[in-house]
């Protein structure tokens, strides 16, 4: 949904020409801002910008990059101010999760201190849905719709053939330490024996004997069992189930692989035939099955960020406020970045059933509205027709900067 | 698409009331026929039957079950004739791949020999697309659309963030020994540097050093690389890459797991950050992203099967005949089951590029039309609203039969 938000920002800015002459996008997020690698979005027509609403990925590139701690080394912050000053940039919109909100806050503070005050507005975006003070985060509703649809469909497949083939199916979903996406799978189960019958949350320690007993019980009652498991599943010892596996360049455990591990335990422990799927980026990029509510919220938050900036607000983040569950109504408000940054909103215990294996009605009431409505992209020759922007570079004015 | 075909059969039969009083469905395929576990489809309204066009899985259940070899033991065939006779069944429609076409052929032969001739019509259906004499098999076009869309979308995601995160993405797809689904992923690449840049077919022996060299070359040129790999990938020794892994109850290697294996090799051999996905049943059940051409063909083949049966044809299978590629035109014909059964249509070598890592234009011309058009299901409360039939049982008339 990062593109839908960009669309909201750019379209709102184009309507506010008196305050904002043009919108530059930093290529690959903060990296592009540091490298003075800027894109002039005014070179793209309104029709192309409009189509950002229906494009996955990030049209300008993104990054996973944390600025060095401000207290230890402010050269990166100083460089940002230098770039802003060189290009007469007065507003800084930064889209992302916890880390990004922290960056936006720091930039706001540094720019004020440097005598070149930039209005910094963070805009929430994370499929992990773990930002505080906003009822939901763009990206989550669409991933929720995709994973719930996927396990619903796969469950129908397993239900068709369990007599002579697969009896247990495991779908692994993302979300790191937060069980929001796992919980979303649970919305597909509209009756107790529907798929998925078992959810494994990162917040609930994985107890293998209890798990196997539950699988057995479900297979004996229903004939088959569909399980949604979080990539960030942890054992009763608090360690990630994938602790022993691949590590990335920073030494972090690389997530992905819980599903085959669980399938092996079920297959060896209970002798049921298992299949497993790991959706990985498919869930995050599945713009073909986006939630209309999610797209609308992403767009409106982008537009609201521009309004906040023009009103002179600084160090803030527009938020979604839920007005009612059924029918779902929401509005936009704003929170201070200092109250948002570096805080994580995990799945509350009362959203998980007492036995730890499913969601409660309260959780369902929270998640279901976020996946409402469809927003299919246009298709061409059988495939989604996602826009490619021109991404015209802005001429550099400064010397190179070593990141 | 098995449900769309069932819809075609039932609707055509309802229009031919003078010849066909009612359609019974065998619960869980041939197992239900043996167990006399029949469903009376006439108990479902036309509106519910019509919605089978947009339901995944198999509304009446399916099975993976091969009758015992006819020459060794004909008791199962005799039982089928007994069930047909007890319920005045004159037409037998059997939906599936190679094994199923063989079963349909045998039933036709045995019934004639038993003096209770049943018109047996096989109807093609296999996502593996490996039946001979039909230009394509229902199920394949939709899986093709899903996997091509998925790797296109995931590729956009990787292209957004490769500078600081994942550089190599591997998607594992189904197809067993046939590379049709892997080839379908290739249709997403409309330019040489588009995702997927590398395809790994089961028909092309996997040569690890050549593969790693190609990945390196792509990452150095494009910045990132998306790979689609077949679950049935084999080494230069002819053995499945998954040979050492899980086996099912019959001792067959259980497929699934090639993607993490490849990701590990890339990650260890080239030090690139990798992510991987295994779509497994998600691809087969993804009715939310079906190809309209596929749905239409599945439906029309079902209707054509009824016409063939009423015309007194026996031991035949309706087929898709391609009339033209662009614009795509097709018609229905029929083939003899004896020419279809137990023959496998692999991906022709001329559909694979000389270097073995991609598809040729000829392959693209073959596959692209099959994924044309969308056929979104209806949605309710944010999820697809797939029909649930009543599946009213037919009263049994015979003694139990031990399968």
């Amino acid at each position: 949904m990062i593109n839908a938000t960009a669309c909201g920002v750019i379209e709102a800015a184009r309507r506010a020409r008196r305050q904002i002459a043009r919108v530059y996008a930093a290529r690959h997020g903060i990296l592009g801002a540091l490298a003075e690698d800027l894109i002039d979005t005014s070179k793209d027509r309104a029709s192309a910008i409009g189509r950002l609403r229906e494009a996955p990925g990030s049209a300008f590139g993104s990054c996973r990059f944390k600025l060095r701690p401000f207290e230890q080394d402010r050269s990166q912050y100083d460089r940002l101010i230098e770039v802003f000053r060189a290009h007469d940039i007065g507003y800084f919109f930064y889209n992302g999760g916890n880390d990004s909100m922290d960056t936006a806050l720091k930039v706001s503070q540094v720019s004020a201190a440097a005598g070149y005050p930039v209005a910094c507005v963070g805009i929430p975006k994370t499929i992990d849905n773990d930002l505080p003070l906003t009822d939901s985060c763009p990206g989550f509703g669409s991933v929720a719709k995709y994973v719930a649809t996927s396990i619903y469909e796969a469950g129908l497949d397993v239900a068709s053939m369990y007599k002579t083939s697969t009896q247990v199916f495991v779908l692994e979903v993302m979300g790191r330490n937060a069980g929001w996406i796992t919980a979303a799978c649970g919305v597909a189960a509209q009756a107790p024996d529907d798929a998925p019958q078992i959810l494994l949350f990162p917040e609930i320690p994985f107890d293998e004997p209890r798990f196997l007993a539950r699988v057995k019980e479900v297979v004996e009652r229903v004939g088959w069992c569909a399980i949604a498991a979080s990539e960030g599943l942890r054992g009763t010892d608090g360690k990630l189930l994938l602790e022993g596996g691949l590590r990335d360049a920073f030494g972090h455990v690389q997530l992905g692989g819980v599903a085959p591990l669980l399938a092996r335990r079920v297959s060896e422990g209970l002798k049921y035939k298992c299949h497993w799927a790991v959706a990985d980026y498919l869930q995050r990029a599945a713009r073909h099955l986006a939630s209309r509510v999610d797209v609308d919220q992403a767009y409106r938050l982008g537009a609201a960020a521009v309004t906040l900036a023009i009103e002179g607000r600084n160090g803030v983040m527009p938020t979604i406020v839920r007005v009612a569950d059924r029918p779902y109504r929401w509005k936009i408000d704003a929170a201070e970045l200092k109250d948002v940054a570096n805080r994580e909103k995990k799945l509350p215990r009362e959203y998980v059933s007492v036995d730890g294996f499913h969601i409660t009605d309260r959780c369902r009431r929270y998640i279901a509205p976020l996946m409402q409505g469809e927003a299919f992209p246009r298709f061409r020759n059988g495939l989604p027709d996602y826009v490619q922007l021109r991404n015209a570079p802005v001429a550099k004015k400064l010397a190179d900067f070593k990141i």
Side-chain angles (χ1 to χ4, degrees), chain A:
Chain A
M1 291 306 113
I2 195 165
N3 286 325
T5 294
C7 178
V9 168
I10 296 169
E11 291 189 348
R14 288 186 177 190
R15 284 191 298 268
R17 270 183 217 287
R18 286 195 308 162
Q19 291 89 356
I20 300 178
R22 61 188 60 204
V23 175
Y24 291 159
R27 203 182 303 267
H28 293 293
I30 200 77
L31 284 183
L34 287 167
E36 203 198 353
D37 189 357
L38 306 176
I39 291 163
D40 186 352
T41 68
S42 72
K43 303 295 186 196
D44 274 291
R45 286 162 187 262
S47 58
I49 297 297
R51 289 180 60 195
L52 282 179
R53 277 178 86 115
E54 50 177 72
S58 165
F60 310 115
S62 70
C63 65
R64 279 200 189 278
F65 183 80
K66 227 182 153 163
L67 295 181
R68 278 195 291 276
F70 177 54
E71 303 72 19
Q72 289 165 32
D73 174 8
R74 43 178 295 168
S75 68
Q76 291 179 330
Y77 290 92
D78 290 342
R79 167 67 175 188
L80 288 177
I81 308 302
E82 192 190 9
V83 171
F84 293 162
R85 203 189 291 263
H87 294 278
D88 193 21
I89 290 168
Y91 304 104
F92 176 61
F93 302 101
Y94 203 56
N95 208 232
N98 290 296
D99 290 353
S100 307
M101 295 307 108
D102 183 51
T103 302
L105 175 62
K106 293 273 169 46
V107 170
S108 141
Q109 294 162 345
V110 177
S111 69
Y116 184 82
V118 172
C120 294
V121 180
I123 314 176
K125 181 256 2 160
T126 168
I127 62 163
D128 296 346
N129 199 42
D130 58 356
L131 280 173
L133 299 181
T134 181
D135 184 66
S136 54
C137 301
F140 172 66
S142 294
V143 173
K145 188 183 187 87
Y146 176 84
V147 296
T149 297
S150 294
I151 201 153
Y152 174 27
E153 293 178 332
L156 291 172
D157 194 334
V158 177
S160 299
M161 65 180 172
Y162 71 90
K163 287 265 190 190
T164 50
S165 185
T166 301
Q167 293 157 285
V168 176
F169 173 73
V170 186
L171 172 64
E172 173 174 335
V173 298
M174 290 175 131
R176 296 214 147 245
N177 303 318
W180 294 105
I181 300 179
T182 310
C185 294
V187 176
Q190 297 181 14
D193 292 348
D194 285 356
Q197 293 91 354
I198 298 178
L199 305 176
L200 299 174
F201 301 97
E203 291 91 348
I204 306 289
F206 176 70
D207 176 338
E208 184 166 332
R210 273 195 74 226
F211 164 68
L212 291 179
R214 176 57 63 98
V215 173
K216 187 159 184 277
E217 185 195 313
V218 172
V219 172
E220 286 175 356
R221 189 180 71 242
V222 185
W224 55 277
C225 179
I227 300 160
S230 164
E231 61 178 5
L233 202 57
R234 288 171 187 273
T236 47
D237 57 1
K239 285 191 185 156
L240 286 168
L241 257 66
L242 297 174
E243 200 70 52
L246 282 183
R247 286 180 181 262
D248 67 17
F250 305 97
H252 298 134
V253 174
Q254 169 137 13
L255 298 181
V258 157
L261 193 149
L262 293 170
R264 181 175 283 266
R265 306 252 172 113
V266 169
S267 155
E268 290 174 355
L270 299 172
K271 308 296 173 201
Y272 294 140
K273 182 172 176 191
C274 295
H275 257 246
W276 53 272
V278 175
D280 194 63
Y281 293 153
L282 268 48
Q283 68 201 284
R284 195 168 81 178
R287 182 58 184 81
H288 74 266
L289 189 61
S291 146
R292 174 158 291 287
V293 163
D294 187 30
V295 176
D296 288 349
Q297 292 185 341
Y299 179 87
R300 291 261 319 268
L301 286 167
V306 172
T307 306
L308 287 168
I310 289 175
E311 287 171 355
R313 302 288 296 273
N314 190 0
V316 293
M317 176 185 93
T319 57
I320 301 290
V321 176
R322 184 178 297 228
V323 178
D325 284 334
R326 293 180 190 164
Y328 178 53
R329 288 189 300 119
W330 55 279
K331 62 178 187 183
I332 293 210
D333 198 352
E336 296 292 321
L337 281 176
K338 66 177 165 47
D339 300 330
V340 174
N342 293 316
R343 280 173 56 196
E344 212 178 17
K345 183 175 71 179
K346 292 205 183 176
L347 195 64
R349 186 61 184 82
E350 65 266 27
Y351 278 17
V352 177
S353 59
V354 174
D355 65 12
F357 287 127
H358 223 286
I359 54 169
T360 57
D361 281 347
R362 206 166 146 187
C363 182
R364 179 183 292 275
R365 270 203 307 279
Y366 168 72
I367 295 177
L370 305 176
M371 30 169 116
Q372 298 300 305
E374 291 67 57
F376 298 117
R378 65 199 74 185
F379 279 71
R380 200 161 58 98
N381 295 331
L383 288 172
D385 184 17
Y386 296 130
V387 69
Q388 285 272 16
L389 296 186
R390 293 185 54 208
N391 284 356
V394 176
K396 294 195 181 195
K397 300 181 176 181
L398 301 171
D400 281 354
F401 176 79
K402 197 168 150 36
I403 294 168

